[in-house]
Amino acid sequence: MQKFKSIKILFIFLIGSVTLAKMPLYGSLFIIVLVYLLNFKSINDEFKNFKVSNLKFLLLAIPMILLNYLSLFLISKVTSLPQNETLLRSLVTVSPLHYSFVFGVLSPISEELTFRYGFNGIKNKYVYMIFTSILYASFHLSGFSEILYIIPYFILGLFFAYIYKKTDSIVYPMILHIINNLVSLLLIIF
């Protein structure tokens, strides 16, 4: 069964993403709850690997977030924002607290469970990091016209995958992803 974990989690993410498009709160919750229920022992072990001494990796978030926003800014000068970013901005302005919780907390958790945890069975860490980063970046694009945006999403995915492999706990990439998304949402709101 462990052999098919990645496929099961990706399938759950795809179903949740369809729901996410219409009802973001329920789509994210669906992904988190189902992935957790199917992998509770393994995920609980990941949470047990959380060590305060590894919090130093959170300091890496600052330059990473700045690099990400710089690349997004530069790309947005050449082409329009991706559809997911445009939709996010419109929803957050309508209901800031609700959508900040959904896109700032729940979405990063569901994405980390899918893209980092779901594929941690890939033995070669470099193949794992590149594959999961490409997959993560691809899921954030709506079409070929947004291809330049693969760069910042790939960089973020690579960063999250590196931290996951370095700490052996999904908690750290979840925290970093939440920080990244909340900073982004704060910039949109204010």
Side-chain angles (χ1 to χ4, degrees):
M1 274 316 213
Q2 184 70 6
K3 184 177 177 181
F4 298 106
K5 178 177 83 171
S6 302
I7 295 168
K8 286 188 298 187
I9 290 175
L10 192 55
F11 183 70
I12 291 167
F13 184 79
L14 291 172
I15 292 171
S17 293
V18 170
T19 308
L20 193 62
K22 301 265 189 231
M23 300 173 290
L25 175 65
Y26 299 117
S28 292
L29 286 173
F30 171 81
I31 295 165
I32 293 167
V33 169
L34 203 52
V35 169
Y36 179 76
L37 289 175
L38 291 172
N39 302 282
F40 65 91
K41 183 183 178 339
S42 176
I43 291 174
N44 285 343
D45 289 344
E46 298 259 341
F47 276 84
K48 288 176 186 170
N49 287 339
F50 181 80
K51 295 176 184 75
V52 176
S53 63
N54 283 334
L55 287 175
K56 62 186 174 216
F57 289 108
L58 297 181
L59 294 176
L60 293 174
I62 297 166
M64 198 66 227
I65 290 170
L66 293 175
L67 177 64
N68 182 47
Y69 291 118
L70 176 63
S71 63
L72 284 170
F73 174 76
L74 293 173
I75 294 169
S76 71
K77 295 299 178 194
V78 178
T79 185
S80 60
L81 289 172
Q83 285 181 8
N84 74 319
E85 187 73 25
T86 305
L87 175 64
L88 173 90
R89 288 171 186 233
S90 65
L91 291 172
V92 168
T93 55
V94 171
S95 182
L97 285 177
H98 174 77
Y99 288 110
S100 291
F101 177 68
V102 172
F103 296 121
V105 178
L106 295 180
S107 291
I109 292 171
S110 66
E111 289 176 356
E112 291 309 311
L113 286 173
T114 302
F115 298 110
R116 257 54 74 188
Y117 171 78
F119 291 90
N120 70 349
I122 298 174
K123 299 296 180 214
N124 184 302
K125 73 177 180 180
Y126 299 108
V127 171
Y128 164 82
M129 290 169 54
I130 291 169
F131 175 75
T132 60
S133 300
I134 290 170
L135 193 60
Y136 169 76
S138 300
F139 269 90
H140 283 82
L141 305 179
S142 300
F144 191 74
S145 62
E146 301 174 354
I147 196 71
L148 284 177
Y149 285 99
I150 205 163
I151 297 166
Y153 289 119
F154 176 82
I155 291 169
L156 272 178
L158 202 58
F159 177 65
F160 298 145
Y162 170 78
I163 295 299
Y164 183 38
K165 286 299 182 185
K166 201 76 173 155
T167 63
D168 201 30
S169 175
I170 196 65
V171 177
Y172 300 99
M174 282 181 181
I175 292 170
L176 293 170
H177 200 151
I178 288 169
I179 290 169
N180 178 72
N181 284 24
L182 287 175
V183 168
S184 176
L185 290 165
L186 285 172
L187 291 173
I188 292 169
I189 294 168
F190 300 105

